[in-house]
Amino acid sequence: MILQSLRQLLPEREVNPSVALALLCGSAAAVVVWKWLGKRHIQKQMEEARRTRDEGVKNIAKAVQQFREQVPSVQTDAILSLPLLELAGRLQEGSLSPKTVLYTYLEKALEVTQQTNCLRHFIPECEEQLREIQQQREKGLLYGIPVSIKDHIGHKGHLSTCGLVQRLGTPVQEDSILVKVLKRQGAILFAMTNVPQSLFNYDCSNPIFGQTLNPFNHQKSPGGSSGGEGALIAGGGSILGIGSDVGGSIRLPSSFCGLCGLKPTAERLSLSGAGGPVSGILAVPCALGPMARDVDSLALCMKALLCEEMFRLDPTVPPIPFDEEVYSSSAPLRVGYYDTDGYFPLPPCMRRAVQETRGALQAAGHQLVPFSPPRINYVMTELFLKTFFADGGDAWLDLFTGDIVDPSLKPQVNSCKIPRLGKKLLALILKPLFPRLADYLSALGGMRSVKEMWNHHHEIELPSPLQCCTTS
């Protein structure tokens, strides 16, 4: 067949089989070399990123050592054991210095990341931030508090990798709005934490910086995608962190690591400068939110972030400040609850936790009302999965072009690569035995057009272009 094609291209000359074979072998060899060079380039980029991180760790370790030599009497354990509200109060009144607190947490973070690999990078500018807050006239609500942030929350001069090689080249040119507000409130951003590749995983591993471990059990995952935050805070290396959540990325690490986490209402906090690798997913929005050891810490963080600076920098954020009166009120509340949604299998420990929470709330005088989430199968399958994968996962798959796929993501990547018809057939076959897997595969089949998506969710027909142009 190859010889025939060559004869058609060169009909006036006789094709020498040995020449054709040599050309074919040369082309195959060129493809192999090209692929090898591409992989080698990727490996060099990853090695350079790891080398930069390791150098940053060494520099911070030296700075911590110098501080320890200068101030050997620091009571590290006493500082690390302080709740956020008490620590903030001590910093405000001056009985603790921001420098002492910062270096105490830097030292602990070094220890925790050595055990769990939770840090993607230290922020060396934290020492400059330390000097700046000491010169501010007004002390913000987070004055002197060391804060860690998730990898993709933009910080000027640092990468926002999302665990992807293609995002290793260009540092962020400007702080995200959330980072600007944190700095304005006196927080000292000192570390960026590890994430799963593409942020689309409930584990926390990527080919560049490796696997993050649960600080309580190194055989377990800290959860994802804010897994680095969960491991660092749970290990004691940070007292307050900022994660992000679309489908559990704050809530799962908080659960796996024994922390408190809050996914606020979408757009309650500005997302400007903190976007994920896939843009345009409007129906399932991302939300930034705090992670900490207790609920009061979350409240203090939200109180600090929901300020005039946030509303001024991002006019799309509703200018609604934190309602301290509602938060502090002891008035009885009417609380709805459920211990199963009828869709996800619920382990006994989670059902027990809900029942214990219900009992505690009732004992505090609140009214508890059981309810069942309406149309949960429709919501999960038709509104969540099929909207999230409206393109069949193509935009997500594009992220891995010229990249190495993390082993934990390979099943998902391979399932997305199945042809549309194959996904639909597999969904039909598996539906009786594995209905949730069948729903997932069906969603990965994608929707053929904007019109199909519109009709699917609104159950009405789109007007034709002619009807759109017709006036009455």
Side-chain angles (χ1 to χ4, degrees):
M1 183 178 292
I2 294 174
L3 291 177
Q4 291 176 353
S5 300
L6 288 173
R7 287 193 180 100
Q8 290 176 358
L9 292 171
L10 305 169
E12 72 281 1
R13 295 182 182 180
E14 184 176 349
V15 177
N16 188 325
S18 60
V19 173
L21 184 61
L23 286 171
L24 185 62
C25 291
S27 300
V31 170
V32 171
V33 171
W34 179 75
K35 287 187 175 181
W36 180 84
L37 289 173
K39 288 183 178 180
R40 181 59 187 156
H41 179 64
I42 291 172
Q43 289 292 341
K44 284 185 176 180
Q45 286 182 291
M46 294 196 297
E47 289 169 5
E48 176 63 21
R50 288 192 285 265
R51 185 188 65 79
T52 300
R53 179 188 63 171
D54 293 344
E55 286 183 359
V57 168
K58 290 178 182 178
N59 292 335
I60 290 295
K62 289 179 182 178
V64 168
Q65 181 61 33
Q66 290 174 357
F67 175 76
R68 294 292 293 178
E69 292 172 356
Q70 294 169 1
V71 191
S73 60
V74 173
Q75 297 180 341
T76 300
D77 292 340
I79 292 173
L80 293 174
S81 66
L82 290 174
L84 179 58
L85 263 63
E86 187 175 346
L87 178 63
R90 297 277 295 274
L91 286 164
Q92 293 278 350
E93 69 185 20
S95 60
L96 272 178
S97 72
K99 185 174 183 178
T100 298
V101 173
L102 173 62
Y103 281 97
T104 298
Y105 271 97
L106 284 173
E107 183 177 28
K108 185 62 177 178
L110 284 165
E111 177 189 327
V112 175
T113 196
Q114 186 176 11
Q115 296 171 354
T116 65
N117 189 39
C118 58
L119 289 188
R120 195 213 80 197
H121 194 67
F122 277 106
I123 300 175
E125 294 90 342
C126 63
E127 294 179 300
E128 181 182 340
Q129 292 177 45
L130 179 64
R131 291 190 293 271
E132 289 177 356
I133 67 163
Q134 291 173 329
Q135 295 172 1
Q136 290 178 357
R137 293 182 180 179
E138 296 183 7
K139 295 180 179 179
L141 291 177
L142 297 177
Y143 173 76
I145 300 295
V147 175
S148 51
I149 57 175
K150 190 175 179 178
D151 164 281
H152 73 108
I153 298 173
H155 190 293
K156 184 178 179 180
H158 294 272
L159 297 171
S160 172
T161 73
C162 300
L164 296 162
V165 172
Q166 61 178 260
R167 294 173 68 110
L168 287 178
T170 308
V172 174
Q173 299 300 307
E174 185 180 4
D175 285 339
S176 61
I177 286 180
L178 194 85
V179 165
K180 290 179 180 178
V181 176
L182 284 169
K183 289 181 178 179
R184 183 64 178 269
Q185 289 285 10
I188 303 175
L189 282 77
F190 74 101
M192 304 186 79
T193 50
N194 201 31
V195 293
Q197 190 178 28
S198 80
L199 309 183
F200 194 65
N201 200 341
Y202 290 150
D203 193 9
C204 189
S205 174
N206 65 73
I208 308 169
F209 302 107
Q211 173 77 52
T212 297
L213 308 175
N214 191 300
F216 300 118
N217 185 341
H218 293 176
Q219 304 302 313
K220 302 293 184 181
S221 169
S225 62
S226 307
E229 281 299 324
L232 181 63
I233 299 169
S238 177
I239 195 168
L240 178 64
I242 305 296
S244 63
D245 193 314
V246 173
S249 292
I250 286 175
R251 293 162 288 170
L252 278 164
S254 296
S255 175
F256 287 11
C257 297
L259 301 173
C260 293
L262 174 66
K263 178 191 178 183
T265 300
E267 299 180 6
R268 187 72 168 107
L269 299 175
S270 174
L271 281 167
S272 178
V278 179
S279 59
I281 304 176
L282 303 179
V284 192
C286 177
L288 301 181
M291 299 170 66
R293 302 172 194 166
D294 53 58
V295 174
D296 285 337
S297 300
L298 305 181
L300 177 63
C301 183
M302 291 299 292
K303 192 185 306 183
L305 292 174
L306 296 174
C307 62
E308 289 301 322
E309 185 78 359
M310 172 75 73
F311 308 143
R312 182 183 66 81
L313 290 172
D314 190 345
T316 67
V317 174
I320 305 172
F322 185 88
D323 196 329
E324 179 64 41
E325 183 179 349
V326 171
Y327 178 71
S328 302
S329 173
S330 58
L333 301 173
R334 191 166 183 261
V335 182
Y337 79 96
Y338 59 90
D339 59 8
T340 178
D341 59 12
Y343 188 87
F344 292 103
L346 192 70
C349 60
M350 292 182 68
R351 192 185 299 270
R352 184 178 68 248
V354 171
Q355 296 301 329
E356 289 177 356
T357 303
R358 182 196 66 172
L361 289 170
Q362 286 177 330
H366 302 292
Q367 180 186 1
L368 275 293
V369 181
F371 78 98
S372 298
R375 304 178 70 190
I376 188 66
N377 286 286
Y378 174 79
V379 169
M380 283 301 304
T381 305
E382 304 297 329
L383 300 185
F384 180 75
L385 287 173
K386 289 189 177 180
T387 302
F388 201 83
F389 295 107
D391 63 350
D394 289 346
W396 182 63
L397 284 178
D398 288 344
L399 299 176
F400 303 100
T401 303
D403 209 327
I404 296 174
V405 179
D406 191 82
S408 65
L409 275 181
K410 283 186 177 179
Q412 291 166 265
V413 170
N414 291 336
S415 63
C416 278
K417 289 181 177 179
I418 299 172
R420 176 186 167 91
L421 180 59
K423 294 171 187 173
K424 296 293 186 183
L425 289 174
L426 277 174
L428 286 174
I429 294 169
L430 295 172
K431 186 70 174 179
L433 299 174
F434 306 101
R436 303 295 174 260
L437 178 58
D439 290 344
Y440 176 68
L441 288 169
S442 177
L444 285 179
M447 300 182 187
R448 285 184 290 273
S449 65
V450 173
K451 179 175 180 178
E452 182 179 351
M453 291 165 60
W454 180 278
N455 290 342
H456 182 75
H457 292 300
H458 294 268
E459 299 177 357
I460 61 172
E461 289 295 326
L462 276 176
S464 67
L466 181 60
Q467 289 173 317
C468 290
C469 297
T470 303
T471 58
S472 56

